[in-house]
Amino acid sequence: MKKGKMVLMMPHLKDHNPEYFDEPEKLDVRRVFDPDVLFGYGPRFCIGAALAKRQLYLTLSELFKRFPKLRLAEEPEKSLEDHNSVVFKALKLNTNCSN
């Protein structure tokens, strides 16, 4: 690497590594990310991270309360347009599944 070259560190890429997670490419809403660095860290930490995390927690909590048997209808269709995040073109769910 030459002096002066910019390097982009992407620690979230480990989340797609089978050494860290079984079936890393499969959507698993119960997967535990430790440490959780989805919103960054250090001097460029997102100032809205706490609010965003709380909103996400409340939304998912309410979703699973209302639909306790919620399951994926099919594997989500991912968009490959954004290399900085995981974006789904479609996320189809069954809300009345039996266990």
Side-chain angles (χ1 to χ4, degrees):
M1 188 176 314
K2 294 182 180 180
K3 182 178 179 178
K5 286 284 185 182
M6 185 172 93
V7 176
L8 176 61
M9 301 300 289
M10 300 179 78
H12 65 280
L13 290 180
K14 76 164 182 60
D15 299 339
H16 298 280
N17 185 335
E19 291 181 24
Y20 288 90
F21 300 107
D22 292 331
E23 300 180 286
E25 295 300 321
K26 184 177 180 184
L27 177 66
D28 181 357
V29 296
R30 291 179 179 85
R31 181 174 290 148
V32 175
F33 294 93
D34 186 28
D36 181 5
V37 293
L38 297 175
F39 291 97
Y41 48 89
R44 296 177 191 245
F45 187 81
C46 175
I47 61 173
L51 177 60
K53 286 180 180 182
R54 187 66 182 160
Q55 287 176 323
L56 183 59
Y57 171 80
L58 292 171
T59 299
L60 291 176
S61 295
E62 188 63 26
L63 180 68
F64 289 117
K65 268 193 254 177
R66 290 184 185 198
F67 304 103
K69 297 178 182 178
L70 186 72
R71 299 287 181 266
L72 285 172
E74 58 189 46
E75 196 61 30
E77 181 184 353
K78 292 182 182 177
S79 169
L80 301 176
E81 294 174 15
D82 185 348
H83 67 278
N84 291 317
S85 61
V86 176
V87 177
F88 297 117
K89 291 182 181 180
L91 181 62
K92 297 179 181 177
L93 304 170
N94 287 330
T95 57
N96 59 352
C97 297
S98 59
N99 283 335

